[in-house]
Amino acid sequence: MTEISLTLPSGEQKTIPAGTTVAEALKELVSNKERKQTIAARLDDRLVDLSAPIDADAAFAPITVDSPEALEILRHSAAHVMAEAVLALFGKDVQVAIGPAIADGFYYDFDRAEPFTPDDLARIEEKMQELIALAAPFSRETMSSAQAIALFEKSGQPYKVELLNDLGAETVSLYRQGDFVDLCRGPHLPHAGWLKAVKVIKLAGAYWRGDEKNQMLQRIYGTAFFDPKDLKAYLLQIEEAKKRDHRKLGKELELFAVSDQVGPGLILWQPKGALLRKIIEDHWREEHYKNGYELLFTPHIARRDMWKTSGHLDFYGENMFSAMEIEEVSYQLKPMNCPFHIAIYNTRKRSYREFPLRWCELGTVYRFEKTGALHGLMRVRGFTQDDAHIFCRPDHLEEEIFNILDLNLHILKTFGFESYEVYLSTRPEKSVGSDEHWDQATAALKLALEKKGLAYAIDPGEGVFYGPKIDIKIKDVLGRSWQCSTIQVDFNLPERFEMSYTGEDGKEHQPIMIHRALMGSLERFIGVLIEHYAGAFPVWLAPAQARIMNITDAQSAYAEEVYAELRRAGVRVEKDLRNEKLNYKIREAQMQKIPYMLIIGDKEVEARQVTVRLRNGDNLPAMSISEFAALIAGENEAGRTGACNS
Ligand SMILES: [Zn+2]
Ligand SMILES: [Zn+2]
């Protein structure tokens, strides 16, 4: 018998007879305890089932329930069981499409004339539990593509036939558990009994292969975990996320609205939302000015010709609103601010002595998004980018990127975000610019990240065609990641717009351009903020910092006095002097998540004080109006500098 050699993760080499299955090999290679936790294995770069034979020398690693790959295998297996359950319940009028694992779970797409109901989902989950109790093994079969096509034609599964035809492979693998057979690469769990924590979550529509010209299918989402405790925690998190949904809170707290009359994806900022936005904008502008940026304002439309020069019409046309005619010239709503900043650059000759130029703008742009893709503040048709462009020489790049990162992380910290995922995207196959420029810019981005002490992952080939970039995702209080900041080097636009500067050598050179947004868009960032804080903003951000309430009409005059004085002192204050019970007023202020309630009774009038109640129900000792104004000023300062978040 031929012997083959396996290299274990420890580096140790072991020999086993060729053809030994993974399961048999595990008995020799790992402890019993580890073996019982193993669901699959990695042979070199390939994930395989426990039943797979090992035919050649390879690096061998068991995939245990704790391995990063394990959850995907579990969830993909759960998708198969869901399809099995749906076919068992709804029989022959259902066709199955595809069922992958996704970030939070899995789904399977079904073609069925009748829509599934919430009751159906409950039945499907019940059926899945029955099937899981049978613990049927997932068994792998390989056959010729022609045989597989015949099999799926016979069982009336045209989507599988289409997939097989497109795949055009000679041989394919199928997985069978119970009565269900699926076209699949695998690997899978050894048997369905591993599915100890499975939940059917929701139903949605999805086009076959994501193409709206195709049949609309019914997508059932589910999730699965190895440990029921993890499933419970996940479901709690979904509940929590629902409570924090910025669309729900935006309505309750009267922050923003969308009106059918105005149009979908166009945000109307109500007074409180507008105030919140103003506070964020002021903070943003101040921080930029302090850090050597100049502020710009540019128009919302420009000649269509400019968008030809910029290349947007060619590369970005489908995301742009249609043109409009003014005096027989075509104009276009802006999807980006960059060409306007370049136009300002090109208003006169530039010298290296002015560099680096740091120009920023809260620039409102318009992009076409399908109605179905719109989502509250997160996905809209008109939004304000917190944009900036830096024009500099190649040798400025590293320092400028470092400074951007510094300002970026500082601003994010002031908003309460201190946990990030950072990605560096390198040159894609289709790209402009010389190798030298790409190498230099990529090295500068890396150095700046390292100098800033930021751990990052490299996304090979995921850069934009015009230059490498850094993306930063922030983590919110529920641990969800949100794409937020982006820093992009651009070799393309300076070329297209023939930008130049006079260098030290007296000759003309092309500047480097950096595009950069910290928050991404104000709309989306505020959406994330609402969910992160569940609407209970820190004092420096809260649109209403305090609400005054009297106990009876007898204190109205003094309450008005307090109101006027606090407004003059710069406190964002409201008043509730209605003839209602105090408890009722307090409850309403709490629902509005207002940080401070200032309660005024006869005692307070006499002492010329206010009693201060916090939104969590605690009370502070009574204080004078100026003492309260000083308290708020202190909170504002702590918030703006990020001191309260360190
Ligand atoms: Zn599969
Ligand atoms: Zn730009």
Side-chain angles (χ1 to χ4, degrees), residues 112 166 240 315 459 549:
R112 177 177 181 243
D166 283 5
E240 189 55 37
F315 297 113
D459 253 351
M549 36 193 94

Side-chain angles (χ1 to χ4, degrees), residues 256-269 321 364-384 523:
F256 71 94
V258 181
S259 140
D260 234 14
Q261 192 174 36
V262 174
L266 301 167
I267 302 301
L268 300 168
W269 293 95
F321 280 79
T364 303
V365 298
Y366 298 88
R367 296 182 188 172
F368 172 71
E369 295 271 3
K370 290 191 181 136
T371 321
L374 298 171
H375 182 85
L377 292 173
M378 302 300 188
R379 203 106 177 241
V380 290
R381 284 183 176 159
F383 58 91
T384 301
E523 283 72 8

Side-chain angles (χ1 to χ4, degrees), residues 27-213:
K27 284 186 200 159
E28 308 294 320
L29 301 176
V30 305
S31 71
N32 246 342
K33 196 169 158 229
E34 185 177 357
R35 188 169 59 84
K36 283 188 181 143
Q37 296 291 303
T38 302
I39 56 161
R42 181 186 292 286
L43 288 175
D44 291 332
D45 290 333
R46 204 159 48 94
L47 290 176
V48 296
D49 299 307
L50 291 190
S51 57
I54 310 173
D55 317 308
D57 293 353
F60 175 89
I63 304 292
T64 67
V65 296
D66 305 321
S67 307
E69 304 90 341
L71 213 46
E72 188 178 334
I73 296 172
L74 179 88
R75 288 169 172 176
H76 182 65
S77 301
H80 279 229
V81 174
M82 180 155 83
E84 184 185 3
V86 168
L87 287 182
L89 287 171
F90 302 95
K92 286 224 181 300
D93 59 335
V94 180
Q95 274 104 44
V96 294
I98 53 163
I102 51 172
D104 278 353
F106 61 89
Y107 66 77
Y108 215 112
D109 286 346
F110 301 98
D111 188 358
R112 177 177 181 243
E114 229 178 295
F116 291 112
T117 64
D119 269 356
D120 291 339
L121 295 193
R123 284 176 63 204
I124 291 166
E125 188 176 305
E126 222 171 278
K127 189 76 195 171
M128 286 176 76
Q129 298 301 354
E130 276 173 38
L131 296 169
I132 289 164
L134 299 176
F138 289 89
S139 55
R140 181 187 174 95
E141 300 162 25
T142 47
M143 58 180 76
S144 72
S145 206
Q147 277 175 305
I149 288 171
L151 187 146
F152 285 115
E153 269 173 352
K154 200 172 148 221
S155 58
Q157 294 298 346
Y159 293 100
K160 298 294 171 192
V161 174
E162 188 179 326
L163 288 172
L164 280 161
N165 280 327
D166 283 5
L167 206 59
E170 202 141 301
T171 58
V172 293
S173 61
L174 269 56
Y175 277 78
R176 187 185 293 274
Q177 96 275 3
D179 296 331
F180 180 71
V181 188
D182 207 346
L183 170 66
C184 183
R185 253 187 319 220
H188 276 286
L189 296 169
H191 61 80
W194 279 89
L195 295 161
K196 292 194 172 64
V198 178
K199 182 90 192 147
V200 174
I201 305 274
K202 64 173 180 188
L203 185 66
Y207 293 105
W208 167 235
R209 298 188 141 177
D211 186 338
E212 60 196 293
K213 290 184 210 91

Side-chain angles (χ1 to χ4, degrees), residues 208-222:
W208 167 235
R209 298 188 141 177
D211 186 338
E212 60 196 293
K213 290 184 210 91
N214 287 341
Q215 175 71 26
M216 171 68 96
L217 305 172
Q218 300 189 64
R219 174 169 296 176
I220 304 179
Y221 287 94

Side-chain angles (χ1 to χ4, degrees), residues 586-601:
I586 288 175
R587 219 183 96 74
E588 270 196 6
Q590 269 169 340
M591 301 277 286
Q592 287 294 306
K593 316 205 179 204
I594 296 169
Y596 295 107
M597 287 158 249
L598 306 180
I599 296 161
I600 298 174

Side-chain angles (χ1 to χ4, degrees), residues 336-339 341 385 387-389 466 488 490 493 513-516:
M336 291 188 195
N337 304 300
C338 338
H341 293 195
Q385 281 185 310
D387 214 350
H389 295 101
Y466 51 72
Q488 310 183 348
D490 188 343
L493 286 182
M513 181 174 187
I514 306 170
H515 309 258
R516 175 240 76 157

